[in-house]
Amino acid sequence: MHEDIRLHGYVGKYIEYFAIAAGIDAHKRYFFNIDRKDDDKIRFFAAGNEIVLGPDGVSHQGAGGSFCEYMFGVDQPITDMSKGEVKNRLVMFGGHYDNETGTLRFSDLTSGFQSYEKIFFDGNAVCNYFFFLHSPRIAAPLKKQQEQLLKLLGKTIKRSPAVRKEDDNAIIREIFPLMHDAGAQFFLFKLINKRHQEYCDFFRTLYLKNKKIADEDFAALTALAGRHDIDRYQQERMRIDVMYKHPDNMRIVDEYKNILIACNRKGEINKLENARLTRLKTLSVRNKIPGALFYTLDEFLKRDKKMVDLEENDYISETRQILEGLFLSASHIESRIDCDDMLKLLNAKKKAAENRDHTFEELLLDTSKVCDEKIRDGADLSLLEGFSYIITYFDRYDAASSQINQLAFMENVRISEEMVRSILGNKGEFDLVQHGLFEELFIAGVLENKYVGNYGRKKVNALNAGLKLIEEKRMSTADLLNRLLEINAEERLFVVTLKFVRERIKNFYSKYSTKADQDSLRLEITDELRQRKQIDKEIPRGLFDEVILAIKKEAIYIHTLLPAIILEKDIPLREDFLENSGLDRFYVEELEREYFALNNLNMDELYDIRKGLN
């Protein structure tokens, strides 16, 4: 039975440490001392191994290494990313990858120094571990010791869930039985950046309330970062990591990641996989999942040069030609980006977004760099004006696309007069390029999307019709805003009523088959929701009837149709139900997932069934 002795304290102004020496008779061993000349420096040692915690960083020599939980979106080997069980980053002292062979090699040069800034930049922003192991059975030289340590502990450390929990006891319990040596001593050092921890905890508290941050809360968060001098990169990676770990987000993002990894290995994305990725992106809008989580994955996997296109798409070729044309002359740049060119660029941007083709953005970035260099070298400023003219339209595109997608796919979206005026202004600019372009770019595709629910469709149709009436001076922006708010309120009432009615009646639909029973239930639910202050008026009869009908359709699908669809692989039956039932496709897919999980069915079969949609 091993024992351990622990030391806890601070080095510098904001680094907290926990030092643990574990082994037989650990309490009888002398394993640390404090520098007599510098009280802020503490040294831990054991037969050729040493870790020194100083005010500015960590010095180390001998065998050992460091590990931490991977933060979402940080550089991570594809081999680790593709293994769902690998959660942690492990770095062995003196180790480096041989790019030619793709293998890890070691040297006897294991000593070094790492500043705290680098430790919390390269590793986890909040918590990192260092370790070394002393064992008479592990022989010199150092590089051999490191190889043996990696084989002995590597797999366990990289997969340990205890690292995420910062559970030191659990880490030691996992590692110590692996040593098979009564004389072995394991030394573990946990470092916590208290400033980053406070920022991360504050953001987590704010985000978990309702998956969004109010303006006043974000201002408080920014002020905290300012007081602690936390740079923007660290702020962003902590926020992204917290957002990813929300259970609702993680399931969707992990599915997206797994598809991309499989595509990365093949070197291409086919139409079916692209359709699945698009579905998940759309679902992310509905679930308020930040686009940054997907952008991070797209960018990381794209950097691994395996993702290549066999030939350049036409829209990329057109974009390249138009952008290169900017530099043919240094005069009258803006006039040469005419409406036809802008129309091609906007359609190219739309196709690039649909195909997840980052070549388009890379072309823009390269053009921006060349433009800056030419301006620096004395080119006419009209060159910059021409490129800015393009970027302004692309900014308008991004704003309009985001706002309309939120209306279409997100429940209880925040709608303001400023938002309506912004969309109206952008519509005017796009229609100047070509009459009806706004509807072609932003409305038609959304309405054709099978995942748009009834209320999302109502909002988009109301917006499109209202914008036209405003341009004809037959409606005001306030009137359109009120109409959108009415639909939004009706949607919110429908969703909350559906939730409560479904919970109340569950599988006992026959008990509420008569109008009298349903009226009684409607009054009960109204009273309960009023007491909870979720509504302030009676639930309309028509809306309540829609709720009852939706629940009956769900029951028919789950108890009758879905088992037959699974047994017979009847894709047309499933699609017929989804198209004609009027039920939200996202919700039906969630019911399917729960059905498969409850009945311990293979999820791959569910994905095979869904492939029939594409």
Side-chain angles (χ1 to χ4, degrees), residues 260-302:
L260 274 183
I261 289 171
C263 295
N264 184 277
R265 287 172 171 170
K266 293 187 302 181
E268 62 180 2
I269 299 177
N270 62 35
K271 291 182 179 180
L272 171 61
E273 290 156 340
N274 196 56
R276 288 181 64 190
L277 291 171
T278 300
R279 170 195 171 273
L280 292 168
K281 274 281 188 73
T282 304
L283 182 58
S284 74
V285 175
R286 176 190 178 92
N287 287 6
K288 301 179 184 177
I289 300 177
L293 298 183
F294 297 96
Y295 179 78
T296 299
L297 286 174
D298 287 340
E299 284 298 293
F300 176 71
L301 290 170
K302 193 71 178 180

Side-chain angles (χ1 to χ4, degrees), residues 70 74-88 158-159 244 254-266 297 300-301 304 306:
Y70 274 124
V74 300
D75 282 350
Q76 185 175 352
I78 292 293
T79 52
D80 279 3
M81 184 179 283
S82 61
K83 298 174 184 175
E85 68 275 15
V86 172
K87 306 295 184 184
N88 307 316
K158 289 177 74 69
R159 289 162 172 76
Y244 165 70
D254 280 351
E255 184 177 346
Y256 187 92
K257 177 182 68 174
N258 292 336
I259 295 171
L260 274 183
I261 289 171
C263 295
N264 184 277
R265 287 172 171 170
K266 293 187 302 181
L297 286 174
F300 176 71
L301 290 170
D304 191 286
K306 289 182 180 180

Side-chain angles (χ1 to χ4, degrees), residues 151-166:
K151 291 177 182 178
L152 188 67
L153 309 178
K155 186 174 181 179
T156 297
I157 289 177
K158 289 177 74 69
R159 289 162 172 76
S160 171
V163 177
R164 175 181 179 179
K165 299 174 184 177
E166 299 179 23

Side-chain angles (χ1 to χ4, degrees), residues 95-106 150:
H96 66 278
Y97 275 99
D98 186 325
N99 293 327
E100 293 184 1
T101 63
T103 58
L104 182 64
R105 297 189 178 279
F106 292 98
L150 181 61

Side-chain angles (χ1 to χ4, degrees), residues 528-574:
E528 185 169 347
L529 291 177
R530 276 177 168 165
Q531 290 176 8
R532 293 171 177 258
K533 296 183 179 180
Q534 292 189 264
I535 62 172
D536 56 6
K537 61 181 179 180
E538 188 174 298
I539 300 171
R541 177 75 211 208
L543 184 142
F544 192 81
D545 288 344
E546 288 183 27
V547 167
I548 295 295
L549 181 59
I551 292 175
K552 288 180 177 178
K553 290 176 180 177
E554 292 172 12
I556 291 172
Y557 184 68
I558 291 298
H559 299 301
T560 305
L561 297 182
L562 183 57
I565 291 168
I566 296 170
L567 181 63
E568 301 171 16
K569 299 293 189 294
D570 195 339
I571 308 302
L573 176 60
R574 178 179 184 270

